[in-house]
Every structure is written in structure tokens, then in C-alpha cells.
Amino acid sequence: MPRISLGDHGAAVAEIRGILADQGFLADYAVPDTLVTNGWTVPEAVFDRRLDRATRAFQQHRGLLVDGIVGPATYRALRESTYTLGARTLSFHASAPPTGDDVATLQARLQNLGFYAGMIDGHFGPQTHLGLTAYQREFGLVADGICGPATLRSLTFLGSRVTGGSPHAIREEEEVRRSGPRLSGKRIVIDPGLGGEQTGLLLEGADGVRMTEEEVLWDLGSRLEGRMAAAGMDTYLSRPRGMAASDSSRAYTANTFDADLMISLRTAHYRNERGHGVASFHFGNSHGSISTIGRNLAGFVQREIVARTPLADCHYHGRTWDIVRLTRMPTIQIDVGYATNPGDAAVLTSATYRDTIAEAILVAVKRLYLLGENDRPTGTYTFAELLALEEAGQ
């Protein structure tokens, strides 16, 4: 779909306005009486300042990039917000799994009844299907994995077995604890951004060094891969060097490898040079679901990179992007700097700093599996010390 923003007009703008009004982001909104020839009112069909503010508020609430632009991700979230449980029949379709707030409501009810331990992400995947069929068998329904009228009535009548807490968080933390502190044998997908014809901006660094964003991210990913392999980890790249890939296909690749973690590397952009710094992102949504291990890893990454480089700390945040939502393992995205900022560009085009960032990420992963034991102060743990601990079985 086209990107819709401030100043645009037409039927799509009217649809966006109507959804945001229904969701409570346009208080006291009333449809005017004056109609134009296409059936829409003039205020409805114009993307004005008020609609821009409402769009940004919706994006913030849904864990999206807050830019006031209704692109594919924001439009998908708008459409998903319109679904309520019972408005449609839900079932698993491998080629096009249903997504929406109705799926999130179903997941929450199954989780409270003890039949679903995944993230409440509004994505009807295989785990939701298994939880639904298990519930249906337990309560004497046809175990067809279809959430139709009979299943909905049953879910409505039954109360929760448990409330509070997060089975998904408990499961994530237990998997990390059981896997032990050693990095050897851990399966990691490294996901350099861009690829193929998508090369991004040309960055200029010190001493006349010039690199595209794709070159920076691929080189950083390669350096990280080398260090992880030296520590005994099984590493996979999400794409070949000469191929671009969507976030959903990158997530599918990680799921195919049955990875323990996925680390996505990206660069950020801003409309001028003022935006700068490093930020990390994990899964977290407005339904209260969060990847606890993803959040912990994002925090470790932030602290290690900021302690070792001149990059400003833009902190870590929960998001609902496909790259963190569609993966079955804890996934983080690291925006390693702003391609539009000369200072950040100088850091990213420096081979020394790319080495430093790769080391910081590896140390952050080690900290995750140490679970606070034998910890070192932030920014002081070296690659050589890490390898020594690995050789000692710690």
C-alpha cells in the first residue's frame, strides 16, 4: 500500500480516521454533514494535524515506529485493532495465519486457562492451534482447532484457572537456565539488514573511508559471526550476501534453524543530523506480553555498546515489528547508529569500532547466560577473558 501521511487525502485517509476514532484516539469525533462527490466528508478524507497526532499516539501505543506515516506496518496494526473475538471464525492457516486483537484475546483466555504458554502476540500460529485443540479436547468439544461459536460459548462460560504472571516468561527463563552458562553449542541467527540492491546510504568516515549501510551491517555481522564461532557457538546468517529479504522471511529462517537467539543488525535514520545513538528493541506489545529474555539481552547490549563506544544511549524498547514478533526464540534488533548522523557514521565506518561493537554484543550474550553469576563490571569483560571462561567450562 502507499505511505499515507500529513497532507494526503482520499478514501484511505477516511478509513484511517474512522479506525482511530473507534479506538479512542480521536476524542469527541463526529462525522460532519457536508459530503463531497465520492461520499466522504472533506474533514474525514484529509490527513490533518489532528489525525497526525492520533496516528502517532496509536503508533506509540502499539509499539511501532512513531513517525505519523501510515505505511504497511501501521496499516496492518490498524486493521488488526478492529477485530474483536467472535467477529470471525479463527483457525490456523500455514500460508496466511490470522492476526488481530481477536487472536490476542483468544490467546489470553487460553493462557489463563492453562492451555497456552506462548506470547500474546495476536498471531495465530502453530502454538496457538495446539493450545486451542488441547482446550477443545479437555472440555468435550470437537478438537478441530477452529474457534467457532461452540468454542466461543465455552470460553465465555469458563473462568480462569490462573491469573497474573506470564507462562511465556517463565518458559523463556527456564530454557536459558537449563542451557547453562557456556556459549558452546548455542544456536544463534545473525541478521544483517538490507541486502541485494538495497544498499542504503553511503556513509563517510574518517580518512576518507566510504561504506554503504549494507556493507557496514554485513561486515559487523561477519565479525560477530567469527567471534561467536570462536566461542563454540553454531551461527547462521539470515540471508545470503546478495539477497534482500523481508522481516517475515528472516523470522521464518530463524524458526527453521530452531535457534536459541536471533540478533538483527540495523542502522537508524532521521530527517536531519540531530538523531544519533544506539538503541535496542525486543518484543513487547500493548496487550502486556513481553519477551523477558529479549528485554534482558537488549539491556545488556545497550550497556555494553555504550560503555565501549562514543555512541549515545537511546535505551531499549518493546516493539511489535515482524522481526521480533514472528520468531519463536527471543529476538532483538540493534540499531547500531544513525546513518544520517556524521558522528555515528564515523563510528560505523571504523573497523576498530565495528570490532568493538561485535565484542560488546558477544559479551552481552554471555552475560545473559551467566544469569548474574561470575559477572564483571559493564564494559570490562574482554573477548580473551570470555574465551578463557569457555575453555574452563564456565
Side-chain angles (χ1 to χ4, degrees):
M1 65 165 292
R3 292 159 62 87
I4 301 171
S5 60
L6 186 65
D8 289 332
H9 57 86
V13 176
E15 180 189 15
I16 293 166
R17 186 182 293 276
I19 294 174
L20 290 173
D22 288 342
Q23 295 296 314
F25 290 94
L26 284 168
D28 303 322
Y29 171 72
V31 178
D33 296 327
T34 306
L35 295 177
V36 295
T37 55
N38 65 358
W40 301 105
T41 62
V42 174
E44 271 190 302
V46 176
F47 204 116
D48 56 15
R49 292 285 181 185
R50 189 180 182 200
L51 186 57
D52 176 75
R53 291 193 295 270
T55 299
R56 291 172 186 270
F58 176 83
Q59 290 172 326
Q60 180 68 38
H61 179 66
R62 289 275 167 163
L64 300 165
L65 181 65
V66 182
D67 56 7
I69 299 172
V70 181
T74 299
Y75 184 72
R76 181 206 73 204
L78 284 166
R79 294 297 304 166
E80 289 180 2
S81 72
T82 65
Y83 293 113
T84 57
L85 188 60
R88 57 177 176 167
T89 300
L90 295 172
S91 62
F92 175 61
H93 302 282
S95 59
T99 58
D101 282 15
D102 54 347
V103 178
T105 302
L106 173 62
Q107 291 171 330
R109 292 192 183 180
L110 291 173
Q111 187 176 93
N112 288 338
L113 290 165
F115 292 95
Y116 178 73
M119 290 191 298
I120 300 174
D121 56 10
H123 179 80
F124 200 119
Q127 195 172 0
T128 306
H129 171 78
L130 291 174
L132 180 58
T133 54
Y135 166 80
Q136 290 171 326
R137 280 193 298 270
E138 178 76 13
F139 289 94
L141 302 167
V142 177
D144 54 8
I146 299 173
C147 186
T151 300
L152 282 169
R153 283 195 298 272
S154 176
L155 286 168
T156 301
F157 293 145
L158 286 171
S160 299
R161 290 181 180 175
V162 294
T163 57
S166 170
H168 179 262
I170 294 170
R171 188 185 66 180
E172 275 193 340
E173 292 168 351
E174 178 61 16
E175 286 177 355
V176 168
R177 188 193 65 78
R178 283 192 289 105
S179 68
R182 294 194 65 188
L183 296 180
S184 179
K186 302 291 194 298
R187 300 164 66 87
I188 309 294
V189 170
I190 301 170
D191 174 39
L194 302 174
E197 296 180 356
Q198 300 177 11
T199 59
L201 300 177
L202 183 64
L203 309 184
E204 295 191 15
D207 301 323
V209 176
R210 305 178 79 190
M211 300 176 68
T212 65
E213 291 179 75
E214 192 277 336
E215 288 173 329
V216 167
L217 295 173
W218 185 267
D219 181 80
L220 177 58
S222 299
R223 292 170 190 264
L224 180 58
E225 180 186 28
R227 281 161 174 74
M228 287 185 165
M233 306 178 82
D234 296 328
T235 58
Y236 307 89
L237 290 169
S238 64
R239 63 171 179 86
R241 175 70 191 272
M243 180 184 298
S246 67
D247 283 354
S248 58
S249 66
R250 294 169 192 258
Y252 175 80
T253 298
N255 292 338
T256 301
F257 287 138
D258 193 25
D260 296 300
L261 297 173
M262 182 176 186
I263 298 173
S264 292
L265 305 171
R266 301 288 190 270
T267 44
H269 300 84
Y270 195 61
R271 61 179 179 268
N272 56 44
E273 297 180 358
R274 295 173 63 183
H276 66 287
V278 57
S280 299
F281 305 93
H282 57 86
F283 177 81
N285 64 16
S286 58
H287 303 292
S289 185
I290 191 171
S291 171
T292 303
I293 295 302
R295 179 186 60 190
N296 293 348
L297 179 57
F300 288 138
V301 165
Q302 277 298 116
R303 290 193 287 274
E304 289 293 338
I305 293 179
V306 170
R308 298 164 188 257
T309 71
L311 295 169
D313 186 0
C314 295
H315 306 289
Y316 56 97
H317 312 271
R319 290 293 183 265
T320 57
W321 301 328
D322 281 352
I323 199 67
V324 295
R325 180 171 78 150
L326 300 182
T327 45
R328 291 197 295 265
M329 72 293 302
T331 297
I332 64 169
Q333 176 177 311
I334 310 169
D335 285 3
V336 292
Y338 277 77
T340 47
N341 178 268
D344 286 7
V347 172
L348 296 175
T349 53
S350 164
T352 300
Y353 275 127
R354 291 197 301 278
D355 266 338
T356 300
I357 293 171
E359 182 170 315
I361 296 171
L362 179 59
V363 167
V365 173
K366 180 65 173 179
R367 289 188 183 280
L368 178 73
Y369 286 105
L370 282 173
L371 297 173
E373 299 176 5
N374 301 318
D375 217 348
R376 308 284 181 87
T378 300
T380 63
Y381 203 176
T382 68
F383 183 50
E385 290 172 330
L386 185 149
L387 290 182
L389 276 181
E390 287 296 310
E391 292 174 0
Q394 301 178 17

Short mmCIF file of all heavy atoms in Angstrom, two decimals, residues 2 30 35 60 85 154 168 174 188-189 208 227 230 251 321 324 331 354 358 361:
data_model
loop_
_atom_site.label_atom_id
_atom_site.label_comp_id
_atom_site.label_asym_id
_atom_site.label_seq_id
_atom_site.Cartn_x
_atom_site.Cartn_y
_atom_site.Cartn_z
N PRO A 2 0.38 2.39 -0.51
CA PRO A 2 1.17 3.63 -0.47
C PRO A 2 1.30 4.14 0.95
O PRO A 2 0.49 3.83 1.83
CB PRO A 2 0.34 4.58 -1.33
CG PRO A 2 -1.05 4.05 -1.26
CD PRO A 2 -0.92 2.56 -1.18
N ALA A 30 -16.91 13.50 15.54
CA ALA A 30 -18.24 13.35 14.95
C ALA A 30 -18.14 13.56 13.45
O ALA A 30 -17.41 14.43 12.98
CB ALA A 30 -19.22 14.35 15.55
N LEU A 35 -20.90 16.53 2.48
CA LEU A 35 -20.30 15.43 1.73
C LEU A 35 -19.68 15.94 0.44
O LEU A 35 -20.16 16.89 -0.17
CB LEU A 35 -21.35 14.37 1.40
CG LEU A 35 -21.98 13.62 2.57
CD1 LEU A 35 -23.04 12.68 2.06
CD2 LEU A 35 -20.93 12.86 3.36
N GLN A 60 2.65 4.80 19.05
CA GLN A 60 3.32 4.67 20.34
C GLN A 60 2.66 3.56 21.17
O GLN A 60 3.36 2.73 21.78
CB GLN A 60 3.25 5.99 21.10
CG GLN A 60 3.91 5.98 22.47
CD GLN A 60 5.41 5.85 22.38
OE1 GLN A 60 6.03 6.41 21.49
NE2 GLN A 60 6.00 5.10 23.29
N LEU A 85 -12.99 -10.65 19.40
CA LEU A 85 -13.22 -12.08 19.44
C LEU A 85 -14.69 -12.40 19.20
O LEU A 85 -15.57 -11.87 19.88
CB LEU A 85 -12.77 -12.65 20.80
CG LEU A 85 -12.77 -14.17 20.91
CD1 LEU A 85 -11.85 -14.80 19.88
CD2 LEU A 85 -12.37 -14.60 22.32
N SER A 154 -18.07 -21.76 25.09
CA SER A 154 -17.37 -22.45 26.17
C SER A 154 -16.37 -21.54 26.85
O SER A 154 -16.29 -21.48 28.08
CB SER A 154 -16.68 -23.70 25.61
OG SER A 154 -15.92 -24.35 26.60
N HIS A 168 4.84 -17.62 29.43
CA HIS A 168 5.86 -17.50 28.40
C HIS A 168 7.19 -17.02 28.99
O HIS A 168 8.26 -17.54 28.66
CB HIS A 168 5.40 -16.53 27.31
CG HIS A 168 6.42 -16.33 26.23
ND1 HIS A 168 7.28 -15.26 26.22
CD2 HIS A 168 6.74 -17.08 25.16
CE1 HIS A 168 8.08 -15.35 25.16
NE2 HIS A 168 7.77 -16.44 24.51
N GLU A 174 13.43 -20.37 32.04
CA GLU A 174 13.83 -21.73 32.37
C GLU A 174 14.70 -22.34 31.28
O GLU A 174 15.67 -23.07 31.56
CB GLU A 174 12.59 -22.59 32.60
CG GLU A 174 12.87 -24.06 32.92
CD GLU A 174 13.69 -24.25 34.20
OE1 GLU A 174 13.77 -23.31 35.01
OE2 GLU A 174 14.22 -25.35 34.40
N ILE A 188 22.64 -19.47 17.13
CA ILE A 188 22.36 -18.05 17.00
C ILE A 188 22.17 -17.68 15.54
O ILE A 188 22.98 -18.06 14.68
CB ILE A 188 23.51 -17.18 17.58
CG1 ILE A 188 23.87 -17.63 18.99
CG2 ILE A 188 23.12 -15.71 17.55
CD1 ILE A 188 22.79 -17.41 20.02
N VAL A 189 21.10 -16.96 15.23
CA VAL A 189 20.92 -16.41 13.89
C VAL A 189 21.33 -14.94 13.92
O VAL A 189 20.84 -14.17 14.75
CB VAL A 189 19.46 -16.55 13.41
CG1 VAL A 189 19.24 -15.73 12.13
CG2 VAL A 189 19.13 -18.01 13.15
N GLY A 208 38.62 9.48 4.80
CA GLY A 208 38.02 9.24 3.50
C GLY A 208 37.38 7.89 3.32
O GLY A 208 37.05 7.51 2.18
N ARG A 227 33.47 -14.20 15.96
CA ARG A 227 33.69 -14.28 17.40
C ARG A 227 32.81 -15.34 18.04
O ARG A 227 33.24 -16.06 18.95
CB ARG A 227 33.43 -12.91 18.05
CG ARG A 227 34.59 -11.94 17.86
CD ARG A 227 34.19 -10.50 18.08
NE ARG A 227 35.37 -9.63 18.02
CZ ARG A 227 36.00 -9.32 16.89
NH1 ARG A 227 35.57 -9.81 15.73
NH2 ARG A 227 37.06 -8.55 16.92
N ALA A 230 34.28 -18.72 17.29
CA ALA A 230 35.45 -18.97 18.11
C ALA A 230 35.06 -19.40 19.52
O ALA A 230 35.79 -20.15 20.18
CB ALA A 230 36.32 -17.72 18.18
N ALA A 251 12.49 -14.00 9.86
CA ALA A 251 11.97 -14.69 11.04
C ALA A 251 11.72 -16.17 10.73
O ALA A 251 12.02 -17.04 11.55
CB ALA A 251 10.69 -14.02 11.52
N TRP A 321 7.34 -5.18 15.80
CA TRP A 321 7.78 -5.42 14.42
C TRP A 321 7.82 -6.92 14.13
O TRP A 321 8.05 -7.74 15.03
CB TRP A 321 9.16 -4.81 14.21
CG TRP A 321 9.22 -3.34 14.47
CD1 TRP A 321 8.22 -2.43 14.28
CD2 TRP A 321 10.33 -2.60 14.99
NE1 TRP A 321 8.64 -1.17 14.63
CE2 TRP A 321 9.92 -1.24 15.07
CE3 TRP A 321 11.63 -2.94 15.39
CZ2 TRP A 321 10.78 -0.24 15.53
CZ3 TRP A 321 12.48 -1.95 15.85
CH2 TRP A 321 12.06 -0.62 15.91
N VAL A 324 10.64 -9.24 15.52
CA VAL A 324 10.62 -9.69 16.91
C VAL A 324 9.33 -10.41 17.26
O VAL A 324 9.29 -11.15 18.26
CB VAL A 324 10.84 -8.50 17.88
CG1 VAL A 324 12.23 -7.92 17.71
CG2 VAL A 324 9.79 -7.42 17.71
N THR A 331 14.32 -12.58 20.36
CA THR A 331 14.96 -11.85 19.26
C THR A 331 15.11 -10.39 19.64
O THR A 331 14.21 -9.81 20.25
CB THR A 331 14.11 -11.95 17.98
OG1 THR A 331 14.04 -13.32 17.58
CG2 THR A 331 14.71 -11.14 16.84
N ARG A 354 33.78 -1.33 14.76
CA ARG A 354 32.94 -2.48 14.42
C ARG A 354 33.41 -3.71 15.19
O ARG A 354 32.60 -4.53 15.62
CB ARG A 354 32.94 -2.72 12.91
CG ARG A 354 32.20 -1.64 12.13
CD ARG A 354 31.85 -2.09 10.72
NE ARG A 354 33.02 -2.45 9.93
CZ ARG A 354 33.80 -1.60 9.28
NH1 ARG A 354 33.55 -0.29 9.35
NH2 ARG A 354 34.83 -2.02 8.57
N ALA A 358 31.02 -5.69 17.88
CA ALA A 358 30.83 -7.15 17.80
C ALA A 358 31.20 -7.81 19.12
O ALA A 358 30.50 -8.70 19.61
CB ALA A 358 31.68 -7.72 16.66
N ILE A 361 28.47 -7.14 21.74
CA ILE A 361 27.28 -7.98 21.57
C ILE A 361 27.53 -9.38 22.11
O ILE A 361 26.69 -9.97 22.79
CB ILE A 361 26.85 -8.00 20.10
CG1 ILE A 361 26.43 -6.60 19.64
CG2 ILE A 361 25.70 -9.00 19.89
CD1 ILE A 361 26.19 -6.50 18.13
#
